[in-house]
Amino acid sequence: MARFYQYEESEAPMTAAHDSGRAVTAAVLEALGVFYQHMPNVDDVDKLAVERGYANRDHIKLDKSTPGLTDKLDVFFQEHLHDDEEIRYITKGSGYFDVRGAHDEWIRCEVGPGDMLILPQGIFHRFTLTQQMYVEATRLFQDEPKWVAIARSPDGNADRASRREYLASL
Ligand code: KMT
Ligand code: NI
């Protein structure tokens, strides 16, 4: 089951828990447009995919044997947004998705097997592994995945349509 909390900055590596001890509720995440559900039954994933029109999916595995893992993780951990939702269903292992809260603070979402997390388009976020250093996940998408990572710019990507739409949706 997932766990959500305020991220505590420290010198510890990104894969450390960075747990401030301050929990964040599912309602707070919902207000940010983040969808979370524990779905141990894969049938529920298929049902959600039909309801939301996610016709396509692929699979990603990251562990210590992944070629270029360090570089990949560095990219995933750069703060960014996408012009599409980021839909991830964790099947094995664990990971941390950090999303920006209402006051631009980091909220850490620790996810594990059976967790479905959907980040809305335009939300600033990043990803890393936990110290388990292992995750497998299904990535769902509607058509062509638009997962180009748009780095956060000094003005917070204020002119980008997906960002403007996201802010308007809050
Ligand atoms: C992403 O887009 O950040 C990823 O696909 C990370 C791995 S999904 C567990
Ligand atoms: Ni992303």
Side-chain angles (χ1 to χ4, degrees):
M1 291 280 276
R3 223 161 55 86
F4 313 116
Y5 53 86
Q6 304 253 0
Y7 179 93
E8 183 167 88
E9 298 288 349
S10 77
E11 295 302 307
M14 60 188 173
T15 53
H18 290 268
D19 189 352
S20 64
R22 296 190 303 277
V24 170
T25 63
V28 165
L29 282 171
E30 203 179 306
L32 294 170
V34 174
F35 174 97
Y36 166 73
Q37 203 174 311
H38 185 60
M39 293 189 168
N41 188 339
V42 177
D43 290 346
D44 291 332
V45 177
D46 295 339
K47 211 156 67 182
L48 180 137
V50 169
E51 281 166 11
R52 291 184 170 231
Y54 306 144
N56 301 296
R57 56 181 81 185
D58 70 8
H59 196 75
I60 180 170
K61 175 181 176 178
L62 299 170
D63 67 11
K64 283 180 174 158
S65 74
T66 301
L69 179 69
T70 308
D71 289 346
K72 283 202 169 85
L73 288 184
D74 282 346
V75 171
F76 286 142
F77 205 63
Q78 294 290 323
E79 181 171 4
H80 63 276
L81 61 74
H82 306 284
D83 292 336
D84 258 347
E85 291 174 316
E86 181 166 315
I87 309 142
R88 300 292 183 266
Y89 178 66
I90 310 300
T91 54
K92 291 178 182 170
S94 53
Y96 294 128
F97 288 90
D98 295 336
V99 301
R100 288 288 189 185
H103 308 286
D104 217 26
E105 76 282 19
W106 282 120
I107 297 170
R108 178 152 276 196
C109 306
E110 178 183 0
V111 289
D115 286 332
M116 169 67 79
L117 191 69
I118 305 177
L119 308 184
Q121 64 158 52
I123 194 173
F124 287 120
H125 67 279
R126 62 188 184 187
F127 171 83
T128 191
L129 291 173
T130 72
Q131 288 188 330
Q132 187 184 5
M133 294 301 282
Y134 170 50
V135 76
E136 289 192 47
T138 302
R139 308 191 293 187
L140 297 100
F141 45 100
Q142 287 177 328
D143 193 6
E144 286 300 303
K146 283 177 261 172
W147 293 327
V148 178
I150 313 298
R152 180 169 176 155
S153 66
D155 75 347
N157 310 69
D159 290 335
R160 196 165 189 91
S162 63
R163 181 65 186 166
R164 275 192 275 112
E165 285 163 23
Y166 172 64
L167 292 175
S169 76
L170 296 179

